[in-house]
Amino acid sequence: MLFRSVAAGVAAAICLAVGLGALERATLGIQGAGDGQPPDQVAQPSPKPEPSAAARAKVVERLSRSFAQRARGLLQRDKVYIGLLDSAEALLQVSIELAPDNPQIWRIALDLATTMEDGDPSAAELSTQSLRRLNELEPANEMIRLRRIVDSVSRRQTVEERLAAYERLLAPESVAKIGNAVAARLAFDAAILRRRSGDIAGFEQIGRAHV
């Protein structure tokens, strides 16, 4: 799979970056051994310290950001083809694996899910995953919270299931958790859904309750 091949490439890049000192020492040793001198007379290079955890983390963060930026660049082209979307998805998967706590990368993933073909199961899965992770990383962000809830409700197969989900979300104990602003938008969506289903009385009831 493309994802696995890209992941392997990234792993190799990380090993190269963080193990540069070891590689340099090995190269110097090989060059010295090729001079025709006995091994005990070959000048040994001064030992260099191994990269610190902070240095390794910095390399990983830069790689993750680079892959995410490349994926964003693909999404911002004038014409986006399926092949470009597949490449962007593979790049983002690697970026997420390297830096799963970076909200900016998850925002790019959410943009990718929106750009992908409507009805694509992988797009729906990526959207749900991105919204859930963003909500965890930024719990005070009401817009992300709303989008996650709306995404969850939209996964219901029938109108009855969606209306039942809205009723649970608009219960007082739920409103206390999700906030009044989010609840007001959910009430609006629930009212519209009732009107479209022909339940005018239910539409008016929701409207009066959440004005």
Side-chain angles (χ1 to χ4, degrees), residues 110-130:
L110 190 57
D111 290 342
L112 172 62
T114 303
T115 306
M116 293 170 72
E117 185 178 356
D118 187 27
D120 187 337
S122 62
E125 181 180 355
L126 180 59
S127 177
T128 299
Q129 182 186 18
S130 300

Side-chain angles (χ1 to χ4, degrees), residues 32 39 43 52 62-63 137-140 152-153 168 209:
S52 65
R62 286 181 176 177
L63 282 170
L137 294 171
E138 300 178 348
S152 176
V153 173
R168 291 191 296 271

